[in-house]
Amino acid sequence: MFKVMIVDDEPAIREGLKTIINWNEIGFEVVDAAVNGRDALQKFERWKPDLTIMDIRMPGMSGLEVIEQIREQYQHAHFLILSGHADFEYARKALGYGVDGYLLKPVDEDEMQDELRRVYGSLHRHQQDMIVHIPETPLYEKVEQFLGSSSASQQGEDILDLDWERYQMIILEFCHLHGEESIQLFAQLQKFSDCTSDQHHRLIFRAGQYIGLLTEKPYVQNHELIQLKEQLWSLLHAQPEIYLGASDVVSDQEDLRSIYQEALSFMGQRFWSDDHGVLSKELAEIWKKEESSAEAPLAGEWSDRLYYTVDIRNLAAAERVLNELCDVCWKARLSEREVKSLCSHVLSLALSRLPASVPGSGSAVQQCLSLIPELYAVSTTKQMIALVVSRLDQLLQSINHGTHESVMKQMTDFIQRNYSDNLKLELLAEIFNYNSAYLGKMFKTHTGESFNHFLDQVRLEQAKSLLAQGMKVHKVASQVGYANVDYFHSKFKKYTGISPSAYRDQESTDS
């Protein structure tokens, strides 16, 4: 069977071509379908189809441009062009690029089958001509086939013919490469594979969305893996972000599949990698030792904490909150997308409260929140936190107006603005990065009141104002931060000498 790939941006045509033709009867098998030119280039690299059926007009990259790029590496690839009537002359010009033929849309089933039989004959003759001198399959392709096979009964030595002293599998991810850059990447990395100056075998191969490195030279320590990453980075014309997952070192090639899966599993934790982008057994051991939290963090709780840090203009405290949030997400085993979604929600909830306490900050807040789509493009938690902190810094600079209030002034202002929240001295100590007992003493020295007494005074003064407006007692209690009405009643009477209802009636009579 010869392999066929269909390339068309219209789903109906892709699916229609798969079903209306009896491909097996003609001698073909449809291995994949691509939705545009970029997709076609990537899938061609994966499958290397014998025949590609190509739409001539597609958004972003035309079929002719795709053929030109493929022809640079695969001179013997076969193509059939699909075109509308308006593209007839354009399709005829494509014949000059070595395509096997063109078909007009809508595709006629009989005409398509005739073209396929003609191409099949050409492929078959070429196959017969080559049968006497079939080139040896490159070793990297044998490795790809072996690792991609699901048959556990196949033995490595039957396919790979390796006789290395040891084996280590390293999976590489190159971020933000597209189109021609990703196509050229493999060829550039082969330079490293071909280098034998250190007398160790190594092999670069394709591993799905990743690149694989099978190496005889072990890279065990973190600094060795970092050096390897830098060495590979220096070989590339483009200089992308690189992440790598390194397996254990084994001495038997029968273990190749297991260390391949091990390295892939490490890459699954790329979002949690350090600044060096290295993922190895060391990180996996930390992951296992960390106790798993049964519950995911609540957006409301964490948005309150983040809001408080922004409200007091404490960027360092905001960064601590974000780091702690990501740590909780790690322990809760949240996925990368879940973490990004949660952090976006926390940020939105926190900053939406700021305009109420900082008049005129609305536009600065909206500008800060515009970073949310960017959060989904970052590769690691560290990058995500750095992005948020950078934008929060810009936000705080725009609303600070250059003032530098003391910690005590910030605390009292903070209480005046947020008295209705469930404020605790321990929470403010964490936000301001102080020991809670020491902060309590500082606060009493500065205000003459304990933290709780000062908070009660602020709440009760606000309660007096609300009662004077005729508001019901239970609503006042809730609005100023007392969840229990009886407790509010007791506090108010102790503070004023009369009950809340009596105070309301008194104020009503006076007015």
Side-chain angles (χ1 to χ4, degrees):
M1 290 285 180
F2 292 111
K3 294 181 290 185
V4 175
M5 183 171 71
I6 298 169
V7 183
D8 200 296
D9 61 325
E10 297 182 43
I13 292 180
R14 294 196 303 271
E15 296 305 315
L17 287 177
K18 288 181 185 179
T19 56
I20 66 171
I21 303 298
N22 189 336
W23 297 94
N24 291 343
E25 185 179 88
I26 302 175
F28 288 100
E29 174 191 7
V30 178
V31 293
D32 210 338
V35 300
N36 56 46
R38 299 292 181 191
D39 191 27
L41 288 174
Q42 293 180 1
K43 289 182 174 177
F44 192 97
E45 277 294 317
R46 177 183 179 186
W47 295 105
K48 298 180 180 61
D50 302 290
L51 171 64
T52 302
I53 299 173
M54 182 80 66
D55 185 15
I56 201 74
R57 286 193 185 274
M58 294 178 290
M61 191 176 193
S62 72
L64 194 55
E65 290 173 317
V66 176
I67 293 171
E68 285 181 299
Q69 289 202 27
I70 292 175
R71 280 273 187 245
E72 291 177 4
Q73 294 189 59
Y74 304 98
Q75 295 294 322
H76 301 293
H78 290 257
F79 299 92
L80 283 177
I81 291 291
L82 299 179
S83 70
H85 286 279
D87 301 321
F88 184 75
E89 288 302 321
Y90 185 54
R92 290 186 61 183
K93 285 174 60 178
L95 294 178
Y97 290 85
V99 302
D100 293 78
Y102 63 87
L103 295 161
L104 293 178
K105 296 181 180 180
V107 176
D108 180 81
E109 180 180 348
D110 293 334
E111 187 179 359
M112 170 66 85
Q113 290 181 349
D114 289 342
E115 287 292 321
L116 289 172
R117 290 189 180 96
R118 183 174 60 80
V119 175
Y120 176 86
S122 176
L123 287 167
H124 184 68
R125 286 190 298 273
H126 180 72
Q127 187 182 63
Q128 293 302 310
D129 291 341
M130 296 293 291
I131 202 165
V132 292
H133 49 82
I134 297 175
E136 175 69 19
T137 302
L139 184 56
Y140 76 84
E141 288 191 13
K142 290 183 179 181
V143 171
E144 291 171 13
Q145 293 166 6
F146 173 67
L147 295 175
S149 169
S150 60
S151 173
S153 62
Q154 290 180 308
Q155 296 299 312
E157 55 266 35
D158 295 337
I159 298 177
L160 302 180
D161 192 26
L162 298 177
D163 187 20
W164 297 2
E165 184 177 342
R166 61 183 72 86
Y167 307 87
Q168 184 181 24
M169 194 71 69
I170 297 176
I171 300 298
L172 303 158
E173 181 178 17
F174 299 84
C175 297
H176 313 306
L177 286 181
H178 306 286
E180 188 174 347
E181 287 181 330
S182 60
I183 293 173
Q184 293 174 351
L185 174 68
F186 189 79
Q188 293 170 18
L189 289 174
Q190 288 289 355
K191 296 176 184 178
F192 179 74
S193 181
D194 295 338
C195 176
T196 57
S197 59
D198 58 8
Q199 304 302 313
H200 287 99
H201 297 93
R202 48 184 167 237
L203 193 68
I204 293 287
F205 63 94
R206 298 178 184 85
Q209 63 179 318
Y210 305 119
I211 296 293
L213 167 62
L214 180 60
T215 174
E216 183 180 23
K217 176 184 177 179
Y219 298 86
V220 179
Q221 302 298 323
N222 252 30
H223 74 271
E224 295 174 326
L225 290 165
I226 293 168
Q227 289 174 358
L228 169 64
K229 174 185 165 182
E230 292 173 348
Q231 185 179 2
L232 293 172
W233 193 73
S234 68
L235 294 173
L236 306 179
H237 300 321
Q239 296 181 330
E241 291 179 39
I242 303 177
Y243 297 90
L244 61 84
S247 75
D248 265 346
V249 179
V250 297
S251 58
D252 194 332
Q253 64 177 309
E254 289 187 10
D255 296 321
L256 286 182
R257 279 199 184 95
S258 64
I259 60 173
Y260 176 63
Q261 292 301 323
E262 181 183 33
L264 283 176
S265 70
F266 292 158
M267 290 305 297
Q269 303 305 323
R270 185 258 293 150
F271 186 57
W272 304 103
S273 67
D274 59 18
D275 293 331
H276 299 296
V278 170
L279 302 119
S280 60
K281 197 166 186 177
E282 182 179 339
L283 181 66
E285 291 300 324
I286 295 173
W287 175 267
K288 288 179 182 177
K289 288 177 183 177
E290 289 281 359
E291 290 186 12
S292 176
S293 173
E295 295 183 0
L298 299 175
E301 174 188 337
W302 286 91
S303 68
D304 285 346
R305 293 183 60 185
L306 183 61
Y307 163 70
Y308 295 151
T309 65
V310 176
D311 189 42
I312 64 171
R313 320 293 198 270
N314 193 328
L315 187 65
E319 186 170 4
R320 283 200 308 275
V321 169
L322 292 168
N323 275 298
E324 290 169 14
L325 173 58
C326 286
D327 186 55
V328 174
C329 290
W330 162 282
K331 293 177 180 178
R333 304 297 191 259
L334 298 191
S335 68
E336 176 179 343
R337 186 157 191 89
E338 288 172 332
V339 175
K340 290 177 176 178
S341 177
L342 176 65
C343 287
S344 298
H345 193 194
V346 166
L347 188 64
S348 297
L349 291 175
L351 296 191
S352 66
R353 298 176 60 182
L354 197 60
S357 60
V358 185
S361 63
S363 60
V365 167
Q366 288 305 312
Q367 186 174 359
C368 185
L369 288 175
S370 68
L371 71 86
I372 286 178
E374 297 178 46
L375 290 184
Y376 287 88
V378 299
S379 302
T380 66
T381 53
K382 289 184 179 293
Q383 290 179 5
M384 182 179 70
I385 292 171
L387 174 61
V388 175
V389 170
S390 172
R391 296 298 182 84
L392 288 178
D393 187 24
Q394 295 174 19
L395 171 64
L396 294 183
Q397 288 185 36
S398 70
I399 65 178
N400 267 343
H401 306 297
T403 62
H404 296 280
E405 299 175 315
S406 69
V407 171
M408 291 300 101
K409 181 66 164 60
Q410 289 183 58
M411 279 188 67
T412 55
D413 286 352
F414 179 80
I415 294 170
Q416 293 285 356
R417 289 192 298 270
N418 301 285
Y419 59 84
S420 62
D421 290 350
N422 183 26
L423 299 182
K424 302 288 185 184
L425 179 62
E426 291 76 17
L427 174 62
L428 269 69
E430 183 179 341
I431 292 172
F432 284 93
N433 200 26
Y434 277 88
N435 173 276
S436 60
Y438 179 71
L439 184 63
K441 290 178 181 178
M442 284 179 58
F443 189 88
K444 188 167 185 178
T445 299
H446 179 77
T447 64
E449 304 285 354
S450 69
F451 171 80
N452 289 331
H453 193 257
F454 183 88
L455 176 60
D456 280 335
Q457 285 183 330
V458 172
R459 287 174 169 174
L460 294 170
E461 283 298 320
Q462 183 63 23
K464 287 167 64 177
S465 175
L466 295 174
L467 288 167
Q469 297 172 27
M471 186 178 290
K472 293 182 179 179
V473 173
H474 70 91
K475 287 187 177 181
V476 172
S478 174
Q479 193 156 324
V480 299
Y482 293 104
N484 187 296
V485 178
D486 292 336
Y487 183 70
F488 167 66
H489 188 281
S490 173
K491 283 282 184 183
F492 190 90
K493 188 171 183 180
K494 185 175 181 181
Y495 182 67
T496 63
I498 59 174
S499 69
S501 55
Y503 182 87
R504 181 189 60 198
D505 294 342
Q506 175 183 299
E507 289 297 309
S508 176
T509 302
D510 292 345
S511 63

